[in-house]
C-alpha cells in the first residue's frame, strides 16, 4: 500500500517536520496550561480540582484514540502482511501507554478529594486499567519474541483483541452504574461543560495529540534507521 | 483486486474478532449483576432475597432536608425519586457530600428500608460550570 513511499525520502521529511511540530507543541501546550491553570474559572462544586480534568480527559481520549488506530492497522498487518504498518503500530504504542497511565493517575488524584476514594472497581476505571494492560502486553510482545515476524503477529492479535475493550470503556458509564460520571462532551446529546471550560480542554487535547505525534515520529524515525542499518533498502 | 489468500485472511480475522466480541458481550451480559457498581433504592426494594452478611452499595440522590448529624452518626436518605432508603453512617464524609447531589453508600442492608454504611462516596455528575453560571441558573428557576 505505502510501497511507493521511499523510506529514504521519509527520513528526510520526518527530520524536517519534527522541529516544526516540537515548536507548535510547545506553543499550544503553553497556551493550554495558561488557559487551564490561570484563565479558566473554578467549578461551582469541586472548585480548583476541576483543573485536573484538563489533563485527565485529554490523556484518556488520546490513549483510546491511539489504541484504536493500532488495532485497525493490526487488521491491515495480518491481512495484507504490510511491514510498514507494524512499524507504525510499534512506534505509536509508547505514547498511548504513557497517556493511559497519566489518565489513571490523575483520575486517582481527582477521586480522593471529590469521591472520597483513590480507587473504585467500577466498570469505567476497571476497563481503563485493562486497556493499560493491553498496552503493556502489546509493548512487551516486541521484547519477548526475538523473531520479529512472531512479534508482529502476536502484537497484532493482542491489539485486535484489545479493540473489543474500547467500546466497553466508552459506553461503560451508560450501560452500567458507575462511580465515574457519564461523559460531558457529547456529539448526539448536549455538552454539559461550560464553554469557558471546554476551550482549555480542547487546547490541551490538541497539545497532547501533537506530543503523541512528535514521539511517534521520533520512534518511527528510529525504526527506519534500524532497518537501514541492517542493510535492507526496502520495507 | 486482492488475491484469494488475502480475502481468506480478512474473512478469517473478522470472524475471529466477531466471535470474540460476541462471547465477551454475552459474558458481560450474564455478569451484569457484578459489573454494576451500585444498586438504586428501587432495585434494593425488588431484591428477591436479602442477605445482611454481604457488603453491597446503594446509590442515588441525597434527599433534600434529610441529613441529620448528631455527635455519633450521620443519618440521611438516599432516593431515586421513586423509592427511598434510610442510611446511617459513622465516620468522615467526603467534601462533596451534599443534599440534592449524588452519593454511593457501601455497607450492609438491615431490611429494605435501612442501611448501615461503612463508607460514603460522593458521586460527581457530568455538569461543569463556573459559580456565576450556577447562580444565574438558580435565579432562572
Amino acid at each position: 500500500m505505502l510501497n511507493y513511499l521511499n523510506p529514504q525520502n521519509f527520513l528526510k521529511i520526518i527530520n524536517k517536520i519534527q522541529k516544526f511540530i516540537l515548536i507548535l507543541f510547545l506553543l499550544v501546550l503553553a497556551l493550554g496550561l495558561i488557559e487551564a491553570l490561570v484563565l479558566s474559572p473554578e467549578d461551582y462544586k469541586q472548585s480548583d480540582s476541576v483543573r485536573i480534568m484538563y489533563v485527565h480527559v485529554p490523556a484518556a481520549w488520546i490513549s483510546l484514540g491511539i489504541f484504536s488506530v493500532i488495532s485497525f492497522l493490526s487488521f491491515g498487518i495480518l491481512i495484507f502482511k504490510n511491514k510498514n504498518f507494524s512499524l507504525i503500530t510499534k512506534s505509536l504504542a509508547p505514547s498511548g501507554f504513557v497517556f493511559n497511565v497519566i489518565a489513571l493517575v490523575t483520575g486517582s488524584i481527582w477521586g480522593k478529594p471529590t469521591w472520597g476514594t483513590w480507587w473504585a472497581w467500577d466498570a469505567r476505571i476497571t476497563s481503563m486499567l485493562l486497556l493499560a494492560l493491553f498496552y503493556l502486553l502489546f509493548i512487551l510482545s516486541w521484547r519477548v519474541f526475538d523473531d520479529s515476524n512472531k512479534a508482529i503477529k502476536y502484537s497484532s492479535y493482542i491489539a485486535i483483541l484489545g479493540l473489543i475493550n474500547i467500546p466497553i470503556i466508552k459506553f461503560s458509564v451508560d450501560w452500567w452504574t458507575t462511580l465515574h460520571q457519564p461523559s460531558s462532551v457529547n456529539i448526539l446529546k448536549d455538552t454539559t461543560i461550560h464553554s469557558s471550560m471546554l476551550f482549555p480542554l480542547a487546547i490541551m487535547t490538541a497539545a497532547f495529540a501533537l506530543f503523541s505525534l512528535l514521539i511517534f515520529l521520533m520512534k518511527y524515525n528510529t525504526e527506519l534507521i534500524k532497518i537501514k542499518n541492517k542493510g535492507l533498502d526496502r520495507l | 483486486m486482492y488475491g484469494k489468500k488475502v480475502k481468506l485472511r480478512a474473512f478469517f480475522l473478522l470472524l475471529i474478532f466477531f466471535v470474540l466480541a460476541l462471547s465477551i458481550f454475552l459474558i458481560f451480559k450474564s455478569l451484569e449483576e457484578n459489573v454494576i457498581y451500585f444498586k438504586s433504592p428501587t432495585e434494593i426494594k425488588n431484591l428477591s432475597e436479602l442477605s445482611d452478611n454481604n457488603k453491597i452499595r446503594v446509590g442515588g440522590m441525597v434527599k433534600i432536608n434529610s441529613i441529620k448529624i448528631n455527635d455519633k452518626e450521620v443519618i440521611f436518605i438516599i432516593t431515586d425519586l421513586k423509592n427511598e432508603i434510610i442510611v446511617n453512617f459513622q465516620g468522615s464524609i467526603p467534601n462533596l457530600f451534599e443534599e440534592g447531589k449524588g452519593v454511593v453508600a457501601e455497607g450492609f442492608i438491615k431490611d429494605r428500608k435501612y442501611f448501615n454504611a461503612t463508607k460514603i462516596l460522593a458521586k460527581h455528575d457530568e455538569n461543569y460550570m463556573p459559580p456565576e453560571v450556577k447562580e444565574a441558573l438558580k435565579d432562572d428557576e
Side-chain angles (χ1 to χ4, degrees), chain A residues 22 31-32 38-39 63 89 109 111-112 123 136 165 177-178 181 207:
Chain A
L22 175 66
L31 176 67
V38 185
L39 297 178
S63 68
T89 57
I109 295 170
K112 185 65 190 169
L136 206 58
N165 190 27
T177 58
T178 53
Q181 55 269 46

Side-chain angles (χ1 to χ4, degrees), chain A residues 137-187:
Chain A
L137 275 177
F138 182 90
I139 293 167
L140 281 179
S141 66
W142 288 94
R143 302 194 172 216
V144 171
F145 302 107
D146 293 327
D147 175 11
S148 75
N149 283 329
K150 248 188 184 171
I152 289 171
K153 202 165 119 191
Y154 285 107
S155 64
S156 302
Y157 277 115
I158 289 164
I160 288 170
L161 192 62
L163 183 63
I164 301 171
N165 190 27
I166 301 289
I168 294 178
I169 297 174
K170 173 75 185 95
F171 296 109
S172 54
V173 287
D174 304 320
W175 291 342
W176 303 294
T177 58
T178 53
L179 187 58
H180 194 285
Q181 55 269 46
S183 70
S184 304
V185 181
N186 299 305
I187 296 167

Side-chain angles (χ1 to χ4, degrees), chain A residues 104 119-133 165 169 172, chain B residues 35 37:
Chain A
L104 286 172
W119 187 265
W121 291 102
D122 81 346
R124 169 58 71 83
I125 305 169
T126 311
S127 58
M128 206 59 196
L129 180 68
L130 193 62
L131 181 68
L133 294 176
N165 190 27
I169 297 174
S172 54
Chain B
V35 181
Y37 192 69

Side-chain angles (χ1 to χ4, degrees), chain A residues 82-96:
Chain A
N82 187 316
K83 282 254 168 87
N84 193 18
F85 280 3
S86 65
L87 295 184
I88 294 175
T89 57
K90 191 185 178 186
S91 315
L92 275 171
S95 48

Side-chain angles (χ1 to χ4, degrees), chain A residues 41-46 78-79 81 114-115 117 120 122 160-161 176-182 184 192 194, chain B residues 2 9-10 13 17 20-21 32 35-38 94 96 101 121-124 126-131 133-134:
Chain A
E42 52 177 49
D43 183 68
Y44 78 102
K45 188 140 182 251
Q46 41 174 323
L78 292 174
I79 293 169
K81 305 272 171 195
T114 335
W115 294 336
T117 183
D122 81 346
I160 288 170
L161 192 62
W176 303 294
T177 58
T178 53
L179 187 58
H180 194 285
Q181 55 269 46
S184 304
T192 55
H194 191 257
Chain B
Y2 296 115
R9 278 203 298 262
L13 265 178
F17 180 74
L20 276 172
E32 187 129 40
V35 181
I36 58 166
Y37 192 69
F38 58 83
L96 266 69
K101 295 288 174 190
L121 301 173
K123 193 165 160 24
H124 192 270
E126 70 273 33
N127 298 305
Y128 298 80
M129 60 188 117
V133 177
K134 182 70 189 171

